[in-house]
Amino acid sequence: MTVRVLLPLPLRALAHVEGEVELNVEGGVTQRSVLDALESLYPMLRGTIRDHVTHERRAFVRFFACEQDLSHEPPDAPLPEEVAAGDEPFLIVGAIAGG
């Protein structure tokens, strides 16, 4: 399946891409399978979105799809059908903190 991923500008610059990235994802379309495919195609992104060892999402990174925050969903939960079909992108967003 071809999945569309939209990265935040700093990660697009690091990966040397513009706009959306299209990934071929084998098997079920989950956060894990999408991020595995992304890091395989763009190894310079390893460790920027999720921890090198635990593969847990970094604290200031959020995942969205179909207007839903999927950041706290299990990594192997299926992503919405619209994402799996390529109709909607999987968004990786850098969170902003401050006070």
Side-chain angles (χ1 to χ4, degrees), residues 5-39:
V5 177
L6 185 60
L7 297 167
L9 185 58
L11 295 184
R12 286 193 304 239
L14 183 62
H16 305 287
V17 298
E18 294 183 25
E20 291 182 347
V21 174
E22 291 190 358
L23 304 171
N24 290 319
V25 177
E26 299 290 326
V29 178
T30 65
Q31 287 180 22
R32 186 184 316 272
S33 66
V34 169
L35 295 176
D36 286 348
L38 181 68
E39 290 174 349

Side-chain angles (χ1 to χ4, degrees), residues 42-79:
Y42 301 100
M44 68 285 287
L45 295 178
R46 288 185 184 134
T48 62
I49 299 168
R50 54 189 182 166
D51 183 84
H52 280 289
V53 177
T54 66
H55 292 277
E56 289 188 21
R57 174 184 57 85
R58 295 268 181 208
F60 288 98
V61 175
R62 309 296 274 176
F63 303 138
F64 291 88
C66 303
E67 299 181 17
Q68 297 176 5
D69 184 350
L70 304 175
S71 303
H72 298 289
E73 294 293 316
D76 291 318
L79 291 176

